[in-house]
């Protein structure tokens, strides 16, 4: 019943911006945390950012801090990832995932979207 669908990926030049969306259904963002993860070719999956369900606390990986911003719109049940100053090393499939905050922080949330491709290249 829990479903997540990412959108907004695509091809962008270095230094450009993209805004990813994660549309949630079957649950409310008032009760679950959302995390963004990414996996590049030949690399392990890594956590990018997450936002809590309660107070809206956020986390960012050091590699994206200052460039990416996570936010949510509870009325639309949607989470966003604004990505600025994109670098080629940001190229990856980006996934959103949800669970209680402890599972999201641990990298083991139960529910995942299918992913959206982000390619940063000149």
């Amino acid at each position: 019943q829990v479903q997540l669908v990412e959108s907004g990926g695509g091809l962008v030049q270095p230094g450009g911006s993209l805004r990813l969306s994660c549309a949630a259904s079957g649950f409310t963002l008032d009760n679950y945390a959302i995390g963004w993860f990414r996996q590049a070719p030949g690399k392990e999956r890594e956590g990018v950012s997450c936002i809590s369900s309660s107070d809206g606390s956020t986390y960012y990986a050091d590699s994206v801090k200052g460039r990416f911003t996570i936010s949510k719109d509870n009325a639309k049940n949607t989470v966003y990832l604004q990505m600025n100053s994109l670098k080629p090393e940001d190229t990856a499939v980006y996934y959103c995932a949800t669970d209680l905050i402890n599972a999201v922080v641990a990298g083991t949330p139960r529910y995942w979207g299918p992913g959206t491709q982000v390619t940063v290249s000149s």
Side-chain angles (χ1 to χ4, degrees), residues 12-92:
V12 64
Q13 294 184 350
S17 298
L18 285 173
R19 191 189 198 195
L20 304 184
S21 298
C22 175
S25 61
F27 69 100
T28 174
L29 297 181
D30 291 334
N31 304 121
Y32 287 86
I34 294 286
W36 285 98
F37 300 81
R38 67 186 183 186
Q39 188 163 24
K43 298 185 66 176
E44 296 289 321
R45 186 185 66 203
E46 64 174 335
V48 176
S49 182
C50 65
I51 187 166
S52 72
S53 61
S54 55
D55 61 0
S57 297
T58 58
Y59 164 82
Y60 299 94
D62 288 342
S63 59
V64 307
K65 198 169 298 181
R67 300 188 296 121
F68 291 10
T69 303
I70 190 170
S71 62
K72 63 177 179 176
D73 185 336
N74 286 352
K76 296 181 179 180
N77 231 38
T78 299
V79 174
Y80 306 96
L81 185 68
Q82 179 67 45
M83 306 186 296
N84 298 326
S85 301
L86 283 162
K87 306 174 180 179
E89 50 263 46
D90 295 317
T91 295

Side-chain angles (χ1 to χ4, degrees), residues 87-101:
K87 306 174 180 179
E89 50 263 46
D90 295 317
T91 295
V93 177
Y94 283 71
Y95 302 89
C96 63
T98 190
D99 208 329
L100 300 177
I101 184 62

